[in-house]
Amino acid sequence: MKKTSYLFFLIASLVLLLSCKQSVDTYKADVIIYGGTSAAVIAAVEVAQSGKNVMIVSPDAHLGGLTSGGLGFTDSGNTASIGGLSREFYHKVWLHYNDSTAWKWQKQSEYGNKGQGTVAMDGDSRTMWIFEPHVAEKVFEDFIRENNITVYRDEWLNRESGVKTDNGKIISFTTLSGKTFQGKMFIDATYEGDLMAAAGVSYTVGREPCSQYNEEWNGVQAGVYHHRHYFNTPVDPYIVPGDPSSGLLPYISDEPIHPNCTGDDKIQAYCFRLCMSNHPENRVPFEKPEGYDPAGYELLARVFESGWDEWFAKFDIIPNRKTDTNNHGPFSSDHIGMNYDYPEASYERRKEIIADHTNYQKGLLYFVSTDERVPQEVRDRMKEWGLAKDEFTDNGNWPHQLYIREARRMVGAYVTTENEVLGKVHVPDPVGMGSYTMDSHNVQRFVTAEGYVQNEGDVGVHPGKPYKIAYGSIVPRKEECTNLLVPVCLSSSHIAFGSIRMEPVFMILGQSAAAAAVIAIDNKINVQEVPYGQLEQVLLSKNQILNN
């Protein structure tokens, strides 16, 4: 009898321990947001300010994505189309730089106040569009603190078996650490769309043929030179010039180019947006990366020899004698063709791709600073620059976020195409606006029929005026998932996404997605059933811009 009682006690204790462990490792909220991007933070703020509880589950330690990861020279487009919490972010940046203590490495009067199509610091609208990475991160962390938002960092979705669904709804997802997150609504605010994909929502990767959505600028676009990222003089692609049998130089594809408008599974190039400094006390010299081989930059040497002289054209100036340095020219920081498998890759493979991009870009900086085939005046000027010592201090002054310009894109309830962007068709139920150029960076580097090297995929077509983004583009098809919203990897064609993919727009759509989630919870309805009139009223009350 005593043995039986003791055994019963042991079993009961074990059950209690297991249930306690489950309660410890299971976290519940009205809305669970997966991702650490700018859209994730803004979505969380909207949920919290709407009176619901929210959690951010972020694979990243640092919040803000590209906005705090080096992209300080904001792709703002028409700033009049940026409202709501997105605009509040830029207002908070403006407040920061109105404090004289913010100007550590230069006087405010010495700063040129130049932005992309706008002034950097706009006193009339009380916004600032150009900023240092650490300032952006501080603003995002202030948003989190001021709104008492719970954030779980370094939590990576178990993409294989972590998402639990029932009858078209996400019930929970589990991270690799074993934590489970349960919610009524979920928002995938990652650049990769991992939660969306793991939930079984339809998506695409790459470029659609023009015929699919009756577009002009999708698919292959060889011979289209809308920016200055192409070879404007003949450059030989072979290891031994003029000798095809010697093989191609690194980073040139041996695949034949397909006809224009042909679809493929290739994606536009990634790079790091570097924060550099030319202040002697705040710069870290460019060092030789491990495994550095100057032969990897032979093509750039030939570009210089051809007379090209635009190396410093995208050292865009941000406050305190720093830059947001972006790709520019035929051979630059874009690691063309080296990211095709990133969207679907395992975490381990993605780390390899990120490391490859890091080494490529560090090697590029070292090559241009030291190699004798680089013009002396370029090398001399490069010696004035280095990585900003006071940025990304826990990562060797290197950005913590690779610029994922494009990965998965949902195929949702509504697909935004260039026809919406260019104002050719009516857009139903808008939840935000875009205005930036349909901007695709190069996708591949190939050998022309004449035997020279050329880039392909760089397209820049301006919409003319701000355009509306439909609510249907941030929700899945009803038959696939009814409690998920996707404001970053949203439903659009490749070329339309080239305009939508700007950080202010991601923040706009993050807020709208969150507002819709709250309405769906309050009304106990699916996200596809959210009454647009009610959503529109909420968004307008919060200063979102929905019309021209």
Side-chain angles (χ1 to χ4, degrees):
M1 185 71 174
K2 288 183 178 178
K3 287 185 178 179
T4 303
S5 298
Y6 182 65
L7 180 62
F8 176 80
F9 173 76
L10 285 177
I11 293 172
S13 298
L14 181 61
V15 170
L16 181 61
L17 283 171
L18 289 173
S19 64
C20 287
K21 184 179 187 304
Q22 178 67 20
S23 65
V24 169
D25 288 344
T26 299
Y27 306 85
K28 298 180 180 180
D30 293 318
V31 180
I32 305 291
I33 299 169
Y34 183 60
T37 62
S38 60
V41 176
I42 294 303
V45 172
E46 174 61 28
V47 174
Q49 292 184 353
S50 298
K52 296 289 186 286
N53 51 57
V54 60
M55 291 178 182
I56 293 178
V57 183
S58 172
D60 310 305
H62 296 272
L63 298 180
L66 254 296
T67 296
S68 61
L71 204 167
F73 198 72
T74 303
D75 302 309
S76 52
N78 186 327
T79 59
S81 65
I82 300 170
L85 289 170
S86 181
R87 194 173 193 85
E88 185 174 338
F89 169 85
Y90 298 103
H91 172 63
K92 286 177 175 286
V93 172
W94 180 82
L95 290 174
H96 172 86
Y97 284 109
N98 269 281
D99 185 336
S100 60
T101 62
W103 299 90
K104 180 178 180 180
W105 301 110
Q106 71 178 155
K107 297 177 181 178
Q108 182 177 350
S109 60
E110 297 171 345
Y111 178 62
N113 207 33
K114 177 180 180 251
Q116 279 206 70
T118 182
V119 295
M121 178 177 277
D122 188 343
D124 292 337
S125 66
R126 295 166 59 86
T127 52
M128 186 156 182
W129 306 97
I130 312 298
F131 46 82
E132 299 158 276
H134 77 271
V135 172
E137 186 169 4
K138 180 184 182 299
V139 172
F140 286 124
E141 293 293 351
D142 287 346
F143 268 132
I144 295 298
R145 176 180 49 80
E146 292 163 2
N147 292 277
N148 298 312
I149 295 167
T150 300
V151 182
Y152 293 90
R153 303 171 196 252
D154 197 25
E155 291 291 341
W156 298 78
L157 174 68
N158 181 339
R159 292 159 57 191
E160 300 301 321
S161 59
V163 179
K164 303 301 181 185
T165 61
D166 181 42
N167 195 29
K169 288 184 181 293
I170 300 174
I171 304 303
S172 67
F173 68 77
T174 301
T175 59
L176 295 180
S177 72
K179 295 182 179 67
T180 296
F181 298 89
Q182 295 179 354
K184 298 173 183 176
M185 292 286 152
F186 293 82
I187 297 175
D188 185 338
T190 63
Y191 291 123
E192 296 84 1
D194 283 342
L195 177 59
M196 169 192 73
V201 172
S202 295
Y203 63 87
T204 189
V205 175
R207 303 183 286 187
E208 298 90 349
C210 292
S211 58
Q212 184 166 338
Y213 296 120
N214 190 31
E215 296 177 298
E216 181 180 358
W217 299 110
N218 212 332
V220 174
Q221 294 288 326
V224 173
Y225 307 127
H226 288 167
H227 296 114
R228 300 183 66 82
H229 308 321
Y230 62 95
F231 295 82
N232 58 8
T233 58
V235 174
D236 194 289
Y238 301 109
I239 295 174
V240 177
D243 182 6
S245 67
S246 66
L248 292 168
L249 291 174
Y251 314 126
I252 301 175
S253 173
D254 61 0
E255 293 183 13
I257 195 74
H258 292 288
N260 278 11
C261 277
T262 302
D264 57 28
D265 59 1
K266 297 178 172 67
I267 55 177
Q268 57 181 306
Y270 298 167
C271 72
F272 288 94
R273 299 287 286 255
L274 298 184
C275 187
M276 299 181 182
S277 172
N278 67 353
H279 194 292
E281 297 178 27
N282 195 41
R283 67 174 181 231
V284 178
F286 303 125
E287 296 182 351
K288 181 193 296 186
E290 185 176 352
Y292 170 75
D293 183 358
Y297 307 96
E298 169 66 20
L299 187 55
L300 178 57
R302 296 183 187 183
V303 170
F304 280 125
E305 289 171 354
S306 74
W308 183 78
D309 62 353
E310 299 179 20
W311 176 254
F312 297 98
K314 285 300 290 179
F315 280 46
D316 291 318
I317 302 303
I318 63 176
N320 282 311
R321 291 180 61 172
K322 299 177 187 176
T323 69
D324 166 1
T325 304
N326 194 13
N327 177 82
H328 181 78
F331 191 107
S332 184
S333 57
D334 277 0
H335 203 14
I336 299 172
M338 299 296 116
N339 62 340
Y340 295 158
D341 58 333
Y342 180 90
E344 302 275 32
S346 66
Y347 292 136
E348 292 74 18
R349 175 59 185 144
R350 285 181 184 170
K351 288 179 182 177
E352 292 174 356
I353 294 169
I354 292 169
D356 178 52
H357 279 68
T358 301
N359 288 334
Y360 165 80
Q361 214 160 328
K362 286 183 175 180
L364 179 71
L365 295 170
Y366 186 77
F367 179 84
V368 176
S369 301
T370 64
D371 199 279
E372 292 184 355
R373 296 190 63 186
V374 176
Q376 183 69 51
E377 59 269 28
V378 174
R379 282 182 280 148
D380 290 343
R381 190 171 169 191
M382 279 295 285
K383 289 182 175 65
E384 300 173 3
W385 292 97
L387 298 177
K389 186 183 295 186
D390 60 352
E391 299 288 351
F392 313 117
T393 55
D394 63 347
N395 197 42
N397 310 112
W398 194 260
H400 43 69
Q401 176 65 60
L402 180 64
Y403 195 170
I404 309 302
R405 286 191 173 93
E406 179 180 26
R408 297 184 181 98
R409 299 189 312 283
M410 179 171 65
V411 180
Y414 187 97
V415 180
T416 298
T417 72
E418 72 173 47
N419 297 303
E420 283 79 5
V421 173
L422 297 178
K424 295 180 179 180
V425 298
H426 169 71
V427 177
D429 303 342
V431 289
M433 302 194 76
S435 63
Y436 201 79
T437 298
M438 289 192 294
D439 180 18
S440 170
H441 279 231
N442 279 307
V443 174
Q444 57 189 330
R445 183 175 284 135
F446 68 102
V447 179
T448 68
E450 295 77 22
Y452 301 113
V453 61
Q454 191 51 269
N455 297 332
E456 182 276 321
D458 188 86
V459 177
V461 178
H462 197 276
K465 63 178 183 178
Y467 59 90
K468 303 171 186 177
I469 302 169
Y471 177 61
S473 279
I474 64 172
V475 297
R477 296 167 177 168
K478 186 176 182 180
E479 62 270 21
E480 292 184 343
C481 190
T482 58
N483 67 335
L484 173 69
L485 296 110
V486 185
V488 177
C489 292
L490 75 164
S491 179
S492 75
S493 69
H494 154 77
I495 194 59
F497 190 77
S499 172
I500 296 170
R501 65 175 178 83
M502 305 306 158
E503 292 287 300
V505 179
F506 284 158
M507 287 191 266
I508 290 168
L509 297 179
Q511 181 175 9
S512 294
V518 170
I519 292 173
I521 291 171
D522 286 341
N523 292 297
K524 296 181 172 59
I525 56 177
N526 300 330
V527 294
Q528 294 84 3
E529 298 167 348
V530 168
Y532 178 70
Q534 184 179 357
L535 177 59
E536 179 185 39
Q537 185 176 6
V538 168
L539 295 180
L540 291 175
S541 73
K542 301 192 175 187
N543 299 315
Q544 286 279 56
I545 308 298
L546 305 180
N547 290 287
N548 294 322

